[in-house]
């Protein structure tokens, strides 16, 4: 009911998306306002970023079933991303010392989605000397200390609204403003928008884009967040990073990857189920078959690309973690992961593990057939990857 009332209220203001020229005009208006408030002139890369966001908005505007709420969420998200980027660039321009400090030995948690990457991030980030970016920090990076409380509260309100509007999605993929979150909140040339609506043109575009600037911008964000604080090791996660191991190492030469492995027969339909819930927030009608046709090949291609890129990495650059072992026996395998990363496993880590496990939500009902594929099709899409996962499980 809340969603219906909100869509009705937003309907008039969201009609602009029906006209491509008006969509661009609205986005240009948002750009002018954001640039004027930022007190910094965008450079060439910033304008490319702005054009990318504009293209994404046009792709959303072209979705026939997109709701006024879905359009509003995407437009506001694009504006917030632009405001944040300009703020980050302004901070670096004002204080060159921010960018002088390196981001040392960051950990990137990668693999298939729904493979306990969030759990691994929380466990690793809770250790002394480690840190993970929170959602509000990535959406309000570098806000002045006196305004930080308001920035955090603003994100908390957005998350709370999301929880009310999409309780089904929150039950599967909870968001918290003040907890470690995916770095897709900073990256933009990713498949993440496809989880909100079918965007075939965007999918084709993003598959051929150079993502180097995404990770260079991520480094700028991390440098702002770490400035003036004791040195800490960043613990980052985004499943899509697995397809860009080479670019990550180019931007972060001493980066280490924690590759979470889960049988795709379970991981893919689980992720499709989460996508279905998020799409329902953006679109009037949701076709599970379209979700399956979109994400099965996309995820398979991502893993295959990651496996190829891995061959050129040093052996000690990747730590393999089996989902079932890590979630089934965390007290045994969490310490092993710490050792693999060269981090001490302390008494506080051991004592804090149970609290994290108690809060960790696991499992929900889903089926492959709902998304139009079966076990044989998943096996064919992923080749011998399932055998590797099984071998790691032992």
């Amino acid at each position: 009911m809340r969603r219906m009332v909100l869509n009705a209220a937003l309907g008039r203001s969201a009609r602009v998306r029906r006209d491509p020229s008006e969509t661009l005009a609205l986005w240009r208006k948002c750009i002018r306002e954001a640039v004027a408030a930022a007190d910094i002139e965008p450079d060439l890369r910033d304008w490319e970023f702005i054009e990318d966001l504009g293209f994404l908005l046009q792709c959303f505007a072209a979705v026939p079933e997109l709701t006024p709420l879905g359009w509003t969420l995407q437009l506001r998200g694009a504006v917030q991303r632009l405001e944040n980027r300009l703020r980050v660039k302004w901070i670096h321009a004002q204080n060159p010392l921010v960018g002088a400090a390196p981001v040392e030995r960051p950990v990137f948690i990668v693999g298939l989605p729904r493979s306990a990457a969030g759990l691994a991030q929380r466990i690793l980030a809770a250790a002394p000397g480690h840190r993970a970016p929170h959602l509000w920090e990535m959406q309000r990076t570098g806000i002045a200390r006196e305004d930080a409380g308001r920035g955090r509260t603003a994100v908390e309100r957005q998350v709370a609204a999301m929880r009310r509007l999409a309780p089904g999605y929150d039950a599967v993929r909870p968001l918290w403003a003040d907890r470690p979150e995916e770095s897709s909140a900073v990256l933009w040339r990713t498949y993440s928008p496809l989880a909100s609506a079918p965007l075939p043109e965007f999918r084709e575009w993003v598959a051929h884009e150079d993502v180097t600037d995404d990770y260079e911008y991520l480094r700028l964000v991390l440098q702002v967040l770490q400035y003036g604080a004791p040195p800490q090791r960043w613990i980052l996660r985004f499943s899509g990073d697995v397809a860009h191991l080479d670019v990550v190492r180019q931007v972060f030469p001493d980066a280490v990857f924690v590759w979470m492995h889960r049988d795709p027969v379970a991981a893919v339909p689980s992720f499709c189920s989460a996508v279905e819930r998020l799409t329902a927030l953006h679109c009037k009608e949701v076709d599970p078959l379209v979700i399956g046709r979109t994400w099965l090949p996309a995820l398979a291609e991502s893993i295959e690309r990651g496996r190829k890129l891995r061959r050129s990495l040093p052996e000690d650059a990747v730590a393999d973690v089996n989902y079932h072992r890590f979630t089934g026996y965390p007290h045994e395998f969490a310490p092993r992961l710490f050792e693999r990363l060269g981090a001490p496993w302390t008494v506080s880590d051991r004592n804090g593990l149970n609290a994290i496990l108690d809060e960790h939500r696991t499992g929900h009902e889903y089926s492959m057939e709902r998304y139009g594929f079966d076990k044989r099709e998943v096996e064919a899409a992923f080749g011998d990857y399932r055998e590797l996962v099984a071998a790691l499980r032992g």
Side-chain angles (χ1 to χ4, degrees):
M1 179 61 72
R2 280 197 194 97
R3 199 182 303 171
M4 292 175 61
V5 171
L6 193 53
N7 275 316
L10 294 172
R12 182 176 299 176
S13 62
R15 285 175 195 156
V16 64
R17 74 175 183 84
R18 300 297 183 187
D19 186 332
S21 62
E22 290 194 32
T23 300
L24 278 177
L26 176 60
W27 177 230
R28 289 183 183 127
K29 178 177 179 290
C30 293
I31 294 168
R32 290 194 298 270
E33 293 174 350
V35 171
D39 195 28
I40 186 173
E41 185 64 29
D43 60 20
L44 179 60
R45 285 189 172 184
D46 296 330
W47 284 115
E48 291 175 349
F49 170 80
I50 290 169
E51 289 179 6
D52 290 348
L53 291 182
F55 172 68
L56 175 60
L57 287 174
Q58 287 185 289
C59 290
F60 270 106
V63 176
E65 297 299 320
L66 191 71
T67 63
L69 174 58
W71 167 251
T72 301
L73 290 173
Q74 293 304 319
L75 179 60
R76 289 179 180 175
V79 171
Q80 289 174 356
R81 282 178 177 264
L82 174 56
E83 292 173 341
N84 203 66
R85 182 182 178 101
L86 294 177
R87 184 168 49 246
V88 168
K89 299 294 287 289
W90 182 88
I91 292 171
H92 277 267
Q94 294 296 308
N95 187 356
L97 293 177
V98 174
V103 177
E104 296 182 338
R105 301 183 305 116
V107 175
F108 286 76
I109 304 173
V110 305
L112 281 173
R114 310 297 297 173
S115 297
L119 176 61
Q121 184 186 35
R122 287 198 65 192
I123 293 173
L124 287 169
H130 289 182
R131 173 167 186 203
H134 292 181
L135 179 61
W136 81 269
E137 293 179 311
M138 291 186 283
Q139 292 187 350
R140 299 290 193 280
T141 309
I143 285 183
R145 186 165 298 177
E146 59 270 19
D147 296 327
R150 282 184 293 174
R152 176 174 173 174
T153 300
V155 177
E156 286 175 341
R157 287 174 179 167
Q158 290 178 356
V159 170
M162 181 85 165
R163 196 172 293 128
R164 291 192 300 270
L165 293 168
Y169 180 70
D170 180 69
V172 175
R173 172 67 170 85
L175 287 173
W176 301 90
D178 58 351
R179 289 187 183 177
E181 189 47 64
E182 288 186 352
S183 51
S184 56
V186 171
L187 309 173
W188 68 97
R189 294 187 186 100
T190 75
Y191 281 143
S192 296
L194 302 178
S196 299
L199 306 169
E201 190 175 357
F202 177 81
R203 182 191 173 190
E204 179 66 23
W205 172 82
V206 80
H208 300 95
E209 282 295 293
D210 181 358
V211 299
T212 303
D213 191 44
D214 292 52
Y215 291 98
E216 290 179 346
Y217 174 54
L218 174 61
R219 183 182 60 200
L220 296 179
V221 169
L222 298 177
Q223 287 172 325
V224 170
L225 294 178
Q226 72 185 15
Y227 182 70
Q232 291 181 300
R233 190 178 191 182
W234 285 104
I235 310 297
L236 308 164
R237 73 172 164 101
F238 175 50
S239 61
D241 290 339
V242 74
H244 306 295
L245 304 181
D246 53 342
V247 180
V248 173
R249 289 279 288 194
Q250 176 185 330
V251 179
F252 303 92
D254 55 356
V256 176
F257 301 98
V258 172
W259 192 323
M260 305 297 294
H261 297 276
R262 186 183 184 187
D263 188 342
V265 167
V268 174
S270 176
F271 180 68
C272 287
S273 177
V275 168
E276 182 178 357
R277 288 162 166 81
L278 184 59
T279 304
L281 182 65
H282 289 77
C283 299
K284 297 174 186 176
E285 295 183 9
V286 182
D287 187 344
L289 298 182
V290 171
I291 292 174
R293 288 197 299 268
T294 298
W295 284 103
L296 176 59
L299 294 176
E301 291 164 10
S302 178
I303 292 298
E304 180 60 22
R305 177 172 168 78
R307 294 180 70 187
K308 290 179 179 177
L309 291 172
R310 177 179 180 165
R311 297 169 189 162
S312 63
L313 298 180
E315 186 175 346
D316 61 357
V318 183
D320 294 297
V321 179
N322 178 271
Y323 166 87
H324 291 283
R325 286 190 166 193
F326 192 75
T327 58
Y329 307 95
H331 285 280
E332 177 182 354
F333 287 97
R336 293 191 187 185
L337 177 57
F338 273 61
E339 181 182 6
R340 177 69 178 75
L341 296 175
W345 177 256
T346 66
V347 173
S348 64
D349 294 322
R350 184 189 65 196
N351 294 339
L353 179 57
N354 285 332
I356 294 174
L357 293 173
D358 288 342
E359 294 180 355
H360 183 65
R361 303 182 189 183
T362 58
H364 66 284
E365 294 184 4
Y366 52 85
S367 69
M368 289 182 286
E369 292 73 20
R370 179 170 179 78
Y371 304 103
F373 52 82
D374 57 25
K375 183 177 178 180
R376 287 177 298 177
E377 289 176 277
V378 177
E379 291 174 339
F382 282 87
D384 64 350
Y385 178 65
R386 294 190 69 224
E387 298 174 13
L388 169 63
V389 177
L392 287 171
R393 187 175 182 178

